[in-house]
Amino acid sequence: MNVTLVEINIKPDRVDEFLAVFRANHEGAIREPGNLRFDVLQDPRVKTRFFIYEAYKDDDAVLAHKQTPHYLACVEKLEDLMSEPRKKRTFVGLLPEV
């Protein structure tokens, strides 16, 4: 399992727009055949900080996700909404076993 944790910091006046943009990406991602989980989380202490927890079956599923229209549209729109570049960490998911 391929897991990615993405930190996204948004400009204070753009949070609602971010949520609309990311909702479309989320809804598309959870329909992908290789997607196991796609959670959008908000930091309770920093309302402009979001974490995306993505779990995919394998590397091929991740590559397929990055070619989808919903992902490409989201990445393009994010540039104007973010207060700093995204931070990504990748992990090997061990449990649950898929």
Side-chain angles (χ1 to χ4, degrees):
M1 179 172 38
N2 182 308
V3 175
T4 303
L5 183 63
V6 183
E7 179 182 334
I8 303 175
N9 289 280
I10 300 299
K11 296 172 185 171
D13 60 333
R14 307 297 289 273
V15 169
D16 289 340
E17 191 176 350
F18 164 77
L19 291 172
V21 165
F22 225 85
R23 179 178 299 279
N25 189 33
H26 164 79
E27 289 174 354
I30 62 173
R31 291 185 187 96
E32 295 170 30
N35 178 267
L36 302 172
R37 191 151 190 105
F38 197 96
D39 297 345
V40 179
L41 313 168
Q42 185 178 36
D43 187 324
R45 288 172 283 172
V46 182
K47 301 293 185 185
T48 56
R49 181 174 298 142
F50 296 85
F51 293 90
I52 314 306
Y53 178 88
E54 307 174 37
Y56 284 88
K57 187 172 101 173
D58 53 29
D59 291 343
D60 290 339
V62 173
L63 293 174
H65 168 65
K66 291 183 178 181
Q67 296 172 359
T68 61
H70 52 267
Y71 172 82
L72 295 171
C74 180
V75 169
E76 181 181 330
K77 293 173 185 174
L78 274 180
E79 292 304 317
D80 291 336
L81 306 177
M82 295 186 301
S83 59
E84 61 184 70
R86 290 176 291 163
K87 299 171 189 156
K88 291 184 182 182
R89 293 193 58 197
T90 58
F91 303 87
V92 174
L94 302 177
L95 298 172
E97 295 176 18
V98 290

